[in-house]
Amino acid sequence: MANQSTVTEFLLMGLSDNHDMQILYFAMFLVIYLLALIGNFLLGVAVILNQQLHAPMYFFLVNLSFSDVCFISTTIPKAMATSLTNNRDISYVGCAAQVFSVFTFGGSELALLTVMAYDRYVAICQPLQYTLMMNWDACLQMAAASWISTLIHALLHTILTFRLNFCKFNRIEQFFCDIPHLLIISCIDTRINQILILVIGITVNSFCSGLIFISYGYIFSAVLKIPSVQGRYKAFSTCIPHLTVFSLFLISILFAYMRPQNVSSHTLDLLSAVLYTVLPPLLNPFIYSFRNKDIQKALWKMLKIKVK
């Protein structure tokens, strides 16, 4: 393969070369995928059908659910097909589409979690100004900014990655097309790509994580002033899982995209990829929504109507 014009496909790494393990991974991913789809679908339908849930917080939750469904659908179905059929080929165009989708929906995940943290800060720390600060125009603008910025970010990385020549190998040491592993198999200088990933990664992640942790810092400060022990426990039990999932998501992304190329391990690469592509879409509906009494009431009401 002399240059990228001759590359028609890449070869993805399977999760295992053992047939029995491949079937096990297929079954495991199938269960995770169905749970993620059902959880996010139920959340979206419950919010859309219930007039009482037409509020900014739930508007952002529906956006997050949509992002989660698209995010997990970008990688898991292909990984399941690979495990079941042992066909590890992915076309050049398919690989580019997967990179673009991972960056789009992974980026929207980070952007929406940031906006949601700000929404909770305003609701808890500035309750008298909540209606003014989080009006529908502001919510639509924040959601639009989140999606547009991540689309531009994804397009930039995709174009710069697939301008490279791939003339040594076409085997990607991951179960989906991942930029760090594509850079490794490129036969030309990838310093521009690495610098771009580093600069944008530090800038975007620092801004989003800083805003999230600052927002939750103010939230925790306000919660500690609650006289009721039960009230403080309820607030902490809601906020801490949010921060835990976000922290796992952020740390795994930083490890996957910003580590030196010589610091790599097959097991750690797979684990970090699963942590940021599979875990958030699976857990977000349960952590952000189904622990919420308003969501629970809406779901029960919807299910009772369906049963009747």
Side-chain angles (χ1 to χ4, degrees):
M1 292 181 290
N3 54 52
Q4 73 172 31
S5 64
T6 63
V7 175
T8 59
E9 63 183 18
F10 293 98
L11 189 65
L12 296 175
M13 182 197 68
L15 294 171
S16 174
D17 293 326
N18 183 281
H19 178 70
D20 292 336
M21 291 301 297
Q22 287 177 335
I23 299 300
L24 177 63
Y25 284 128
F26 169 80
M28 181 179 68
F29 274 154
L30 179 61
V31 171
I32 291 173
Y33 186 56
L34 290 177
L35 285 175
L37 290 184
I38 292 170
N40 285 290
F41 176 76
L42 287 176
L43 170 62
V45 172
V47 172
I48 291 170
L49 295 182
N50 195 313
Q51 191 70 30
Q52 294 179 342
L53 298 182
H54 292 182
M57 178 178 71
Y58 301 109
F59 167 72
F60 293 125
L61 278 174
V62 170
N63 274 267
L64 184 64
S65 290
F66 174 75
S67 176
D68 282 337
V69 168
C70 295
F71 193 23
I72 198 169
S73 296
T74 299
T75 57
I76 293 302
K78 178 60 179 175
M80 288 192 298
T82 300
S83 295
L84 192 63
T85 64
N86 205 30
N87 180 8
R88 303 180 181 185
D89 297 341
I90 184 170
S91 68
Y92 188 89
V93 173
C95 188
Q98 200 170 51
V99 167
F100 177 76
S101 299
V102 166
F103 264 82
T104 297
F105 299 115
S108 65
E109 187 97 7
L110 182 59
L112 290 168
L113 289 174
T114 304
V115 171
M116 288 167 62
Y118 175 73
D119 172 73
R120 290 300 82 205
Y121 157 74
V122 176
I124 294 173
C125 301
Q126 306 285 340
L128 298 179
Q129 300 182 45
Y130 182 77
T131 304
L132 178 65
M133 296 175 68
M134 298 300 294
N135 59 69
W136 280 111
D137 285 341
C139 292
L140 290 171
Q141 288 171 9
M142 284 189 281
S146 298
W147 284 106
I148 292 171
S149 61
T150 54
L151 283 169
I152 295 173
H153 180 218
L155 186 62
L156 176 64
H157 277 295
T158 304
I159 290 173
L160 286 177
T161 299
F162 286 90
R163 72 173 179 82
L164 300 173
N165 292 339
F166 301 99
C167 56
K168 291 182 180 178
F169 307 100
N170 69 339
R171 177 182 169 88
I172 299 172
E173 296 294 324
Q174 188 57 277
F175 65 89
F176 64 96
C177 285
D178 201 19
I179 285 182
H181 293 88
L182 284 166
L183 298 184
I184 291 174
I185 64 173
S186 172
C187 58
I188 64 172
D189 189 3
T190 61
R191 279 180 294 181
I192 293 177
N193 300 72
Q194 293 173 14
I195 291 171
L196 182 69
I197 289 174
L198 186 64
V199 171
I200 294 181
I202 290 175
T203 304
V204 173
N205 289 326
S206 297
F207 174 77
C208 292
S209 60
L211 188 56
I212 286 175
F213 285 113
I214 289 171
S215 298
Y216 276 105
Y218 280 111
I219 290 171
F220 286 146
S221 178
V223 166
L224 289 173
K225 297 176 183 178
I226 298 174
S228 167
V229 175
Q230 185 178 2
R232 289 200 298 269
Y233 172 78
K234 180 180 178 182
F236 279 122
S237 66
T238 300
C239 294
I240 289 176
H242 296 186
L243 284 177
T244 302
V245 172
F246 169 75
S247 298
L248 285 173
F249 178 65
L250 184 64
I251 291 170
S252 57
I253 283 181
L254 291 175
F255 177 82
Y257 286 90
M258 301 182 69
R259 73 182 190 277
Q261 286 189 357
N262 59 347
V263 181
S264 183
S265 162
H266 172 63
T267 303
L268 285 177
D269 286 349
L270 284 177
L271 180 60
S272 66
V274 169
L275 283 177
Y276 78 82
T277 62
V278 178
L279 198 63
L282 175 64
L283 295 183
N284 281 340
F286 300 96
I287 289 178
Y288 282 92
S289 308
F290 296 151
R291 291 159 55 92
N292 183 299
K293 289 185 178 180
D294 292 331
I295 292 286
Q296 291 176 5
K297 290 179 181 177
L299 285 172
W300 278 115
K301 182 180 178 181
M302 182 179 68
L303 292 174
K304 285 180 181 178
I305 292 174
K306 292 294 183 182
V307 170
K308 291 179 180 180

